[in-house]
Amino acid sequence: LPSPWHEVIAVITGLIIVGPDMSNIDDTKGNCGIRVFGKKNNTVVKDFTVDNCEIYGWPMAGIEFGYEGLIYDPTYLTNSYNQNSITTTETAYIHHNYIHHNCQDGAGYGVCVDGDSYVKISYNIFDYFRHAVTSQGTKFTSFEIDNNLILANGSDNSASIDSHNYMDIFKDICGFYKGNPYPDLLPDVCATQQYKTNANYASQNIKITNNTFVYKGERKTNSSNPNPAINICGVPKGYCEIKNNYFAG
């Protein structure tokens, strides 16, 4: 969806959305079934719904909420950043979909939540993914995941639900990211206490309740610890509530 679409209510319902590749080969990065991208100083859509769809074969993500340029904007990690400068969706509701075979190595998301959005994800079936739901951990992004069925064919080496902390993103650009569009500003930003504080956030608010996780057996891992079903890689800026989930297998 292009921006700006101020105050727009958008609904995608009852479609089969088929992508180009159901494999996990990392050679088609960027393909998404549905992508909603914001820009600075506008909201793309006010309310956005995807329901009763089958979405598969999209190596990057079945559904992605994001933004253009903000991920590498150094002001995002300072207290001067204004939450209202970018909001991809005020409210998004993803429900009663079958989302599967979105499983590229290094990406492979059923739903990717970013762009300072609020997304509610309910009553979906997820299978064949790297992460069923993920967030880059941007500090004004929130998501609620409830009453979903997460089946057994997710990646053995990745959590089913994952929220990065923003440090994971900015550590790549503070002196290392070759495509950095802010080469003169980043060294100063990365040395500040504001950066160190803000970069440790793992999203704004997270709620994960009443979901069923099914596993095919032992969860493999590259470390000495088992790979969890749910992985929150930092401290949510607001709250994190995880309760009444069922883990089988």
Side-chain angles (χ1 to χ4, degrees):
L1 294 174
S3 57
W5 278 31
H6 299 288
E7 303 300 313
V8 166
I9 298 174
V11 179
I12 297 174
T13 185
L15 301 180
I16 299 175
I17 303 173
V18 184
D21 190 353
M22 294 194 295
S23 75
N24 64 352
I25 298 173
D26 188 3
D27 64 355
T28 50
K29 193 169 186 177
N31 287 315
C32 297
I34 299 170
R35 173 176 282 158
V36 185
F37 260 36
K39 294 182 178 180
K40 274 193 170 183
N41 302 313
N42 70 69
T43 298
V44 179
V45 288
K46 184 177 180 64
D47 295 294
F48 185 75
T49 300
V50 180
D51 70 90
N52 293 286
C53 292
E54 181 178 7
I55 303 170
Y56 66 94
W58 298 98
M60 179 67 181
I63 304 170
E64 181 183 19
F65 299 89
Y67 35 67
E68 293 184 9
L70 179 65
I71 195 169
Y72 299 122
D73 183 343
T75 65
Y76 193 81
L77 287 181
T78 68
N79 294 334
S80 64
Y81 173 78
N82 179 4
Q83 177 184 3
N84 296 323
S85 68
I86 179 169
T87 304
T88 302
T89 58
E90 291 185 10
T91 304
Y93 189 24
I94 311 301
H95 67 94
H96 294 94
N97 301 286
Y98 180 28
I99 302 172
H100 62 98
H101 285 93
N102 307 293
C103 47
Q104 172 185 295
D105 284 342
Y109 314 127
V111 180
C112 181
V113 182
D114 282 308
D116 291 357
S117 302
Y118 167 77
V119 182
K120 181 175 173 62
I121 302 164
S122 307
Y123 299 101
N124 301 284
I125 299 174
F126 293 96
D127 205 4
Y128 291 95
F129 51 81
R130 181 167 164 265
H131 300 309
V133 179
T134 193
S135 171
Q136 296 283 18
T138 48
K139 63 182 177 179
F140 297 119
T141 293
S142 297
F143 57 92
E144 181 175 346
I145 305 169
D146 69 277
N147 293 287
N148 297 280
L149 176 60
I150 295 125
L151 292 176
N153 296 297
S155 170
D156 288 329
N157 297 317
S158 299
S160 298
I161 296 174
D162 181 82
S163 178
H164 297 278
N165 66 44
Y166 214 53
M167 181 76 77
D168 292 341
I169 303 302
F170 266 75
K171 70 182 180 183
D172 293 331
I173 62 176
C174 287
F176 299 105
Y177 180 62
K178 294 180 181 179
N180 163 28
Y182 304 96
D184 298 327
L185 296 177
L186 276 171
D188 292 335
V189 170
C190 294
T192 65
Q193 185 60 46
Q194 292 177 8
Y195 160 75
K196 295 174 184 178
T197 299
N198 291 327
N200 193 46
Y201 289 132
S203 304
Q204 171 83 20
N205 299 319
I206 299 171
K207 187 175 182 179
I208 303 170
T209 59
N210 300 303
N211 301 283
T212 298
F213 297 82
V214 180
Y215 296 126
K216 56 190 173 185
E218 181 180 357
R219 298 276 283 176
K220 298 178 182 178
T221 180
N222 293 324
S223 68
S224 59
N225 297 316
N227 212 309
I230 300 169
N231 194 30
I232 310 299
C233 303
V235 180
K237 191 172 187 295
Y239 66 83
C240 180
E241 179 181 348
I242 302 173
K243 67 179 184 181
N244 298 329
N245 297 285
Y246 178 71
F247 303 89

